[in-house]
C-alpha cells in the first residue's frame, strides 16, 4: 500500500520541519509495512513569488488526489505589505475551505519530561496531561450574518452565532469517534444557559449520544471550562465545542503545555482526507538555521497516521519515539533549560528516527 502525501512546505521554517516529518513518516511506514510518497505543492509566500497566488489551482488538485496533506507554515516579513486577500495566510483559509475541513483537532499534551515548561504547578499536572480539543471550524459566528448600520445617529455592529443541526451533528460525530478511541469521555462545551444556538448544540449532543453508549458525555458552560482548564485540566479527555469557543479554549489549552514547537493539529472533513500542520507559524527568525523544533510537525505526521492513513500502531510508535527522546534529555533550543544539551532540527530528527527503529 502506497499513500500519496501532498507536502505543502510553505515559508520560513516550513521546508525544514516538513522534511523532518516526512523522514519520520517514511521510517514509520517502512516499519509497519506500507509506504508513503511525498507530492510537493506550493502554498503561501513562495506560491505568491512563483505564481502570483497563495494557493494555486494545481495545489488544490494535488491535495484532492492525495491521501492526506502535510503543511509546514506560511508567511513572513517579505509579504507583510500585501493586501489581505493576496497575503500568504489567505492560502491557509482557502485550502481548508477547498477541502471542506470542518473539524479542527488540537491535542494538548504535557510530557512528563517537559513539565517544567508548563506554567501550571506540578500538583495540578501530576503525571502529565493528554487532552484533545475538537473545534468546529467552518460555521458559527465567524461565518454568520454580520454588518454595521446607522440608526438615529448611532452606529451599530453585529455578528451572528448560527448553527444548523447538521453542522452540529457532524462535528459531534467526529468528537464522539475520537473520544471512543481515547479514554471514552467527551465534554461538550456550550453556553446553553444563555444562547439558543448552544441549546440546540446540547440537545443534538444528547440525542447523538444514544449512538455512542461507550462514550460518557458531559456538558460544561464555556466560562466554567475556561476556569477548569487551568484549575484541573486532567479531568478532561476530549472536548468538543463551537468555532468561537474553540478558538479561545484551544489557545488556552496549548498555553498549558508551554512549548509552541511541540503542538500538532489536524483538520478533518467528511472523508479521510485531512490536513496536518503544526500550530506554530513560519518563525522567520529561525528559518534556514537548523534550530527549529521539528516535533510539532512530526507529531502532526503521527496524527496523519492515525486519522487519515488508518495506521494507529505506526502513530503510537512515532509518539512513543518522541517521548523516549525527550525522556533521554534531548532538547532543541526552545525546550532547553539552563545547562541542558541542545541539538538542532536535523539532530533531533535523527534521534527520533533511531528511537523509532530501536523500538
Ligand atoms: P510563530 O509561531 O512563527 O513564532 C512565534 C515564536 O515561537 C517565535 O519566537 C518563534 O521563533 C517561536 N517558534 C515557532 N515555531 C517554532 C519551532 N518549531 N521551534 C522553535 N521555536 C519556534 O508566530 P509569529 O512570529 O507570530 O509569526 C511568524 C509568521 O508566521 C507570520 O508571517 C505569521 O503570519 C505566520 N503564521 C503562520 C501560521 C501558519 O502557517 N499556520 C500560524 C501563525 C503565524
Amino acid at each position: 500500500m502506497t499513500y500519496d502525501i501532498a507536502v505543502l512546505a510553505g515559508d520560513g521554517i516550513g521546508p525544514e520541519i516538513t522534511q523532518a516529518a516526512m523522514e519520520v513518516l517514511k521510517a514509520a511506514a517502512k516499519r509497519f509495512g506500507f509506504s508513503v510518497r511525498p507530492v510537493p505543492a506550493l502554498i503561501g509566500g513562495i506560491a505568491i513569488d512563483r505564481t502570483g497566488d497563495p494557493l494555486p489551482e494545481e495545489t488544490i488538485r494535488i491535495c484532492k488526489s492525495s491521501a492526506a496533506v502535510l503543511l509546514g507554515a506560511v508567511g513572513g516579513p517579505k509579504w507583510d505589505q500585501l493586501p489581505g486577500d493576496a497575503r500568504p495566510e489567505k492560502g491557509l483559509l482557502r485550502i481548508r475551505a477547498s477541502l471542506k475541513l470542518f473539524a479542527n483537532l488540537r491535542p494538548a499534551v504535557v510530557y512528563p519530561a517537559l513539565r517544567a515548561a508548563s506554567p501550571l504547578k506540578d500538583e495540578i499536572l501530576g503525571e502529565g496531561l493528554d487532552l484533545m480539543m475538537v473545534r468546529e471550524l467552518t460555521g458559527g459566528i465567524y461565518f454568520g450574518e454580520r454588518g454595521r448600520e446607522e440608526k438615529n445617529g448611532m452606529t451599530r455592529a453585529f455578528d451572528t452565532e448560527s448553527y444548523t443541526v447538521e453542522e452540529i451533528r457532524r462535528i459531534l460525530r467526529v468528537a464522539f469517534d475520537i473520544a471512543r478511541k481515547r479514554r471514552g469521555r467527551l465534554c461538550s462545551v456550550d453556553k446553553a444557559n444563555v444562547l439558543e444556538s448552544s441549546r440546540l448544540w446540547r440537545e443534538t449532543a444528547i440525542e447523538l449520544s444514544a449512538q455512542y453508549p461507550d462514550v460518557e458525555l458531559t456538558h460544561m458552560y464555556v466560562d466554567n471550562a475556561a476556569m477548569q482548564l487551568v484549575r484541573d485540566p486532567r479531568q478532561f479527555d476530549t472536548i468538543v465545542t463551537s468555532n468561537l469557543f474553540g478558538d479561545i479554549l484551544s489557545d488556552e489549552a496549548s498555553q498549558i503545555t508551554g512549548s509552541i514547537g511541540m503542538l500538532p493539529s489536524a483538520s478533518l472533513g467528511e472523508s479521510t482526507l485531512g490536513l496536518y500542520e503544526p500550530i506554530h507559524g513560519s518563525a522567520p527568525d529561525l528559518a534556514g538555521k537548523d534550530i527549529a523544533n521539528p516535533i510539532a510537525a512530526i507529531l502532526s505526521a503521527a496524527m496523519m497516521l492515525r486519522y487519515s492513513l488508518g495506521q494507529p500502531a505506526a502513530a503510537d510508535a512515532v509518539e512513543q519515539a518522541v517521548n523516549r527522546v525527550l525522556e533521554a534529555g534531548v532538547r532543541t533550543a526552545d525546550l532547553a533549560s539552563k545547562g541542558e544539551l541542545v541539538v538542532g532540527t536535523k539532530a533531533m530528527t535523527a534521534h527520533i528516527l533511531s528511537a523509532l527503529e530501536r523500538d
Side-chain angles (χ1 to χ4, degrees):
M1 186 71 189
T2 300
Y3 300 99
D4 280 349
I5 310 297
V7 181
L8 280 48
D11 311 312
I13 60 172
E16 301 163 58
I17 56 164
T18 46
Q19 187 183 331
M22 277 314 298
E23 282 174 32
V24 172
L25 206 50
K26 279 183 185 165
K30 191 169 170 210
R31 210 188 115 185
F32 286 88
F34 59 97
S35 61
V36 290
R37 182 169 46 215
V39 186
L42 295 171
I43 193 167
I46 188 169
I48 295 172
D49 288 353
R50 299 229 183 126
T51 72
D53 183 349
L55 185 69
E57 279 302 316
E58 173 72 355
T59 298
I60 300 175
R61 193 192 60 72
I62 289 173
C63 291
K64 284 188 174 165
S65 60
S66 299
V69 181
L70 178 69
L71 195 140
V74 301
K78 184 174 175 194
W79 305 281
D80 275 351
Q81 308 313 321
L82 292 172
D85 262 10
R87 287 172 68 98
E89 292 79 359
K90 199 71 190 173
L92 279 183
L93 299 177
R94 279 174 46 205
I95 190 68
R96 291 180 191 137
S98 304
L99 302 180
K100 299 193 171 67
L101 305 173
F102 61 82
N104 185 238
L105 277 53
R106 269 169 61 167
V109 177
V110 175
Y111 292 86
L114 296 181
R115 213 163 36 188
S118 170
L120 296 190
K121 290 180 186 146
D122 279 358
E123 61 258 37
I124 292 178
L125 285 176
E127 285 305 298
L129 173 73
D130 178 4
L131 73 81
M132 176 68 84
M133 185 79 68
V134 181
R135 166 189 171 192
E136 202 288 327
L137 205 55
T138 56
I141 197 164
Y142 293 174
F143 295 89
E145 204 182 319
R146 70 187 59 200
R148 274 184 191 221
E149 57 189 26
E150 306 290 332
K151 222 178 191 174
N152 306 328
M154 295 278 277
T155 306
R156 185 178 84 99
F158 62 96
D159 302 275
T160 320
E161 173 83 344
S162 151
Y163 272 110
T164 65
V165 171
E166 286 68 29
E167 285 173 318
I168 300 170
R169 207 176 274 141
R170 67 181 187 180
I171 185 72
L172 281 162
R173 215 172 260 130
V174 169
F176 271 111
D177 285 337
I178 287 168
R180 170 177 269 176
K181 288 184 197 144
R182 289 172 49 91
R183 300 190 297 278
R185 287 188 291 118
L186 178 62
C187 179
S188 171
V189 170
D190 62 35
K191 190 70 184 168
N193 50 345
V194 179
L195 300 177
E196 196 55 40
S197 52
S198 276
R199 283 194 270 276
L200 182 64
W201 183 285
R202 193 175 280 217
E203 284 162 28
T204 309
I206 292 168
E207 179 201 298
L208 197 62
S209 69
Q211 295 173 28
Y212 295 87
D214 50 332
V215 176
E216 181 202 341
L217 173 69
T218 56
H219 307 273
M220 194 178 279
Y221 297 137
V222 62
D223 41 347
N224 188 24
M227 285 196 295
Q228 295 300 331
L229 271 174
V230 286
R231 199 188 71 83
D232 179 18
R234 289 196 304 146
Q235 70 184 283
F236 297 111
D237 170 15
T238 306
I239 294 174
V240 61
T241 192
S242 65
N243 201 345
L244 172 66
F245 297 159
D247 189 6
I248 299 163
L249 293 182
S250 58
D251 270 10
E252 184 187 358
S254 60
Q255 198 53 42
I256 294 172
T257 71
S259 42
I260 194 169
M262 296 284 301
L263 297 168
S265 77
S267 300
L268 308 178
E270 297 284 5
S271 74
T272 57
L273 171 58
L275 182 145
Y276 300 84
E277 58 182 321
I279 73 155
H280 60 68
S282 59
D285 49 329
L286 311 181
K289 297 182 182 160
D290 189 37
I291 50 177
N293 185 349
I295 294 181
I298 289 169
L299 292 174
S300 300
M303 291 185 84
M304 178 194 292
L305 288 164
R306 182 169 290 119
Y307 296 113
S308 280
L309 308 189
Q311 301 284 350
D316 287 346
V318 171
E319 286 165 357
Q320 280 157 20
V322 168
N323 197 17
R324 271 204 302 280
V325 166
L326 294 173
E327 291 287 341
V330 182
R331 301 280 185 270
T332 42
D334 55 312
L335 302 177
S337 312
K338 245 195 174 143
E340 279 181 328
L341 184 69
V342 173
V343 301
T345 313
K346 288 192 177 122
M348 175 56 96
T349 310
H351 277 284
I352 292 169
L353 284 170
S354 73
L356 187 62
E357 276 148 23
R358 254 187 290 120
D359 191 12

